[in-house]
Amino acid sequence: MNLNDLSTNWKKLQESFKKEPSKLSKRKANHTLQPHRNGVKRREELRADRPAVQKRSGSGKSENIDLKSSNLMKSAPSASLALWAEENDISAQDLAAAYGTSVRSTSLPNTPLLDENINEGLSSAEAGKYISIDCEMVGVGPTSVDSALARISIVDYHGHQLYDSFVLPKESVTDYRTSVSGITPQLLKAARTFEAVQTDVAQLLEGRILVGHAIRHDLDALLLGHPKRHIRDTSRYPVFRQLSGGRTPSLKKLAREVLGVNIQTGEHSSVEDARAAMLLFRKEKEGFEREHAKIWGTGKKLANRTDNSVSKASKKRKKKKGRKR
């Protein structure tokens, strides 16, 4: 983030934090999921980290009230603010104070790259090596059980919006799921065609590491593929799965327990959810890469595996052509 674009308050805040490095390191440590033995922080230890108070029940017995999941979570920052705060090594609360905004805000004054520009299409921001994706769906078909893509958002490693678009489903929408998706008939009047969105997204994905939560569903909705070795899925990362007893954790749960961040409190924002997934990946980036190396190897091993897979695929295609003759 360029300090020349920031407000006077922001500059003063940066200077004050440069004078207090010990507070910065302590704060940053408090927001990191600490590995234990096999890389997993026990659920009991996570509970112990949360402040609790005693409350008397009707029977007169004392009950522990988890403040992190009640009062404290009400003032938890948005994923966007938490990500930008980490970028600048300060707390989300101090960042919000510097700009005179709420910690739950998803944008900051005079910072256009950090705004949520709904239905903008491709933005002017340059995509780097890592991008994060999230989609919103609507119900189609007679029972509305089937889902169709209605909005897609992509952000870069720093949370800058790279792409956002409403998508016109090919089938008639039978349930807009507005309370969750935020999609309405009016919004879809400005939607791009599925083919146009698919083309734009395919170009962004090319040669990049794709971050997201339950990415398979997003790629299926887009009718696109992506090399598995280039995917970092927060729903499949073993350390995060331990927080749900080995089951697939929700993005909302991970944001709350790992980041101390509030998302999906009402209608979902695919931009905000993509930023939450990217922040989760950044928190555990080294762990993700270790898990990736276990499966795909590193350096020459990865190149050899890639070459072998391409060679096998080529042989299969030749066999099929031979049979057709």
Side-chain angles (χ1 to χ4, degrees), residues 7-174:
S7 67
T8 303
N9 287 342
W10 169 246
K11 292 177 182 177
K12 290 180 180 178
L13 190 64
Q14 282 286 72
E15 290 301 320
S16 68
F17 274 99
K18 286 178 183 177
K19 297 175 184 178
E20 299 177 287
S22 59
K23 290 184 178 180
L24 286 179
S25 59
K26 185 178 290 184
R27 179 179 291 124
K28 192 168 184 179
N30 290 338
H31 287 280
T32 304
L33 187 65
Q34 299 295 331
H36 283 238
R37 293 184 183 177
N38 61 352
V40 176
K41 188 169 186 181
R42 307 295 181 204
R43 298 179 75 187
E44 292 76 10
E45 292 172 291
L46 284 168
R47 293 192 190 103
D49 289 342
R50 301 174 183 168
V53 297
Q54 294 257 314
K55 180 182 178 181
R56 291 283 177 182
S57 65
S59 61
K61 294 182 179 179
S62 295
E63 297 177 345
N64 283 329
I65 305 300
D66 187 352
L67 289 182
K68 188 167 184 179
S69 60
S70 56
N71 294 337
L72 289 184
M73 288 311 297
K74 290 179 182 178
S75 60
S78 67
S80 297
L81 209 64
L83 195 154
W84 304 326
E86 182 175 279
E87 280 279 293
N88 291 278
D89 237 358
I90 69 170
S91 74
Q93 288 73 19
D94 289 333
L95 182 59
Y99 279 93
T101 188
S102 165
V103 292
R104 301 184 71 175
S105 173
T106 58
S107 63
L108 294 175
N110 304 317
T111 52
L113 279 176
L114 306 182
D115 288 339
E116 181 175 334
N117 298 311
I118 297 175
N119 204 36
E120 180 187 30
L122 285 167
S123 77
S124 58
E126 290 188 19
K129 179 180 179 180
Y130 299 95
I131 61 175
S132 180
I133 188 173
D134 191 77
C135 298
E136 298 298 338
M137 313 289 182
V138 291
V140 296
T143 60
S144 302
V145 174
D146 295 329
S147 297
L149 182 66
R151 185 185 178 189
I152 176 171
S153 303
I154 299 175
V155 302
D156 70 5
Y157 188 80
H158 306 285
H160 301 157
Q161 182 178 307
L162 298 172
Y163 190 77
D164 185 76
S165 181
F166 293 122
V167 186
L168 190 64
K170 288 180 171 293
E171 300 178 58
S172 297
V173 179
T174 51

Side-chain angles (χ1 to χ4, degrees), residues 211-264:
V211 176
H213 192 81
I215 294 175
R216 179 175 60 83
H217 299 303
D218 296 333
L219 291 176
D220 286 348
L222 285 158
L223 299 181
L224 289 174
H226 199 62
K228 289 184 178 180
R229 65 184 180 279
H230 290 162
I231 288 177
R232 306 293 186 271
D233 195 328
T234 57
S235 74
R236 301 182 66 84
Y237 180 51
V239 173
F240 291 162
R241 291 180 73 90
Q242 286 292 332
L243 301 180
S244 287
R247 298 184 298 275
T248 302
S250 68
L251 181 61
K252 183 174 183 176
K253 177 183 177 68
L254 290 179
R256 183 179 67 246
E257 297 199 10
V258 178
L259 306 175
V261 161
N262 249 345
I263 61 170
Q264 302 177 354

Side-chain angles (χ1 to χ4, degrees), residues 33 35 38-39 232 236-240 280-295:
L33 187 65
N38 61 352
R232 306 293 186 271
R236 301 182 66 84
Y237 180 51
V239 173
F240 291 162
L280 283 164
F281 168 70
R282 287 174 48 156
K283 288 284 186 183
E284 286 288 302
K285 186 173 181 292
E286 289 185 5
F288 269 96
E289 297 311 322
R290 280 196 300 270
E291 290 298 322
H292 178 269
K294 289 178 185 177
I295 301 171

Side-chain angles (χ1 to χ4, degrees), residues 171-224:
E171 300 178 58
S172 297
V173 179
T174 51
D175 184 359
Y176 285 88
R177 304 175 184 171
T178 305
S179 61
V180 175
S181 69
I183 303 297
T184 65
Q186 188 67 27
L187 291 176
L188 288 187
K189 288 182 180 180
R192 293 172 178 80
T193 65
F194 177 85
E195 290 79 9
V197 171
Q198 186 186 51
T199 299
D200 289 341
V201 174
Q203 291 175 351
L204 277 172
L205 293 182
E206 186 67 32
R208 293 190 170 91
I209 306 296
L210 182 61
V211 176
H213 192 81
I215 294 175
R216 179 175 60 83
H217 299 303
D218 296 333
L219 291 176
D220 286 348
L222 285 158
L223 299 181
L224 289 174

